[in-house]
Amino acid sequence: MKKLYYIINGPNLNMLGIREPEHYGKESYKALVKSVKDTAKELGVRIKLYQSNHEGDLVDKIQEAYFKGATGIVINPGAYTHTSVALLDAVKSTRLPTVEVHISKVEEREDFRQISYISLAAEKRITGRGIAGYSEALRYLASK
Ligand code: DQA
């Protein structure tokens, strides 16, 4: 059976290509989906892609990754990165290797973006690589 990875995106990431292109680039969420699907095909792994604007739905999806037997999680929690203990606890509870991805270079942005709860559970962090960061994260997990 091919390995399964969950790729989870939080609030406003469905607005990629429309929202603040100076931070998030011009590529759409659809382009992100295509690029990660292509990488999964190349790596010979299965992926489940999910985006939600709702914190509890994201918690449910992280738990689902555990119950469906996923091998790892790639997560961009969007603004919940900086606020959500619930998402941190959810990732911790799965004990799955997790990569935190940010499209923009968060470390060079506002002070309030310098706190990341999810970082406490993620074994790797990729920032500022645009949508390519997701494929990089998947390659990292698949090569473990
Ligand atoms: C983001 C960075 C967050 O600070 C922001 O709230 C987002 C997107 C990124 O991908 O760069 O929604 O996670």
Side-chain angles (χ1 to χ4, degrees):
M1 187 70 146
K2 287 180 180 174
K3 284 180 178 170
L4 170 67
Y5 297 92
Y6 270 57
I7 318 278
I8 299 173
N9 276 291
N12 301 307
L13 287 154
N14 57 317
M15 296 293 278
L16 280 181
I18 300 166
R19 74 183 288 214
E20 304 175 87
E22 64 281 14
H23 288 302
Y24 304 115
K26 289 186 179 152
E27 293 189 278
S28 62
Y29 182 72
K30 209 173 154 194
L32 186 164
V33 169
K34 186 182 179 319
S35 129
V36 190
K37 278 187 176 168
D38 287 350
T39 304
K41 201 170 174 192
E42 179 199 319
L43 295 170
V45 300
R46 288 181 298 142
I47 53 170
K48 172 92 184 177
L49 274 141
Y50 184 73
Q51 188 278 327
S52 175
N53 295 326
H54 306 281
E55 191 174 13
D57 290 344
L58 294 163
V59 170
D60 287 345
K61 208 39 80 169
I62 292 165
Q63 292 183 3
E64 184 186 297
Y66 172 80
F67 289 113
K68 296 276 181 184
T71 305
I73 297 173
V74 175
I75 186 164
N76 181 350
Y80 289 139
T81 305
H82 319 299
T83 62
S84 181
V85 177
L87 293 185
L88 167 65
D89 285 350
V91 167
K92 273 188 163 176
S93 68
T94 68
R95 291 183 180 268
L96 289 171
T98 296
V99 180
E100 171 188 5
V101 171
H102 298 286
I103 290 173
S104 66
K105 234 184 171 21
V106 272
E107 59 274 28
E108 292 177 3
R109 299 182 63 194
E110 300 94 327
D111 287 351
F112 66 85
R113 293 185 207 274
Q114 304 316 313
I115 290 169
S116 169
Y117 288 97
I118 212 82
S119 280
L120 299 170
E123 65 175 56
K124 188 175 169 68
R125 185 175 210 228
I126 297 170
T127 68
R129 303 264 296 111
I131 66 171
Y134 293 85
S135 291
E136 209 177 289
L138 192 57
R139 281 181 205 287
Y140 167 80
L141 288 173
S143 70
K144 274 173 65 94

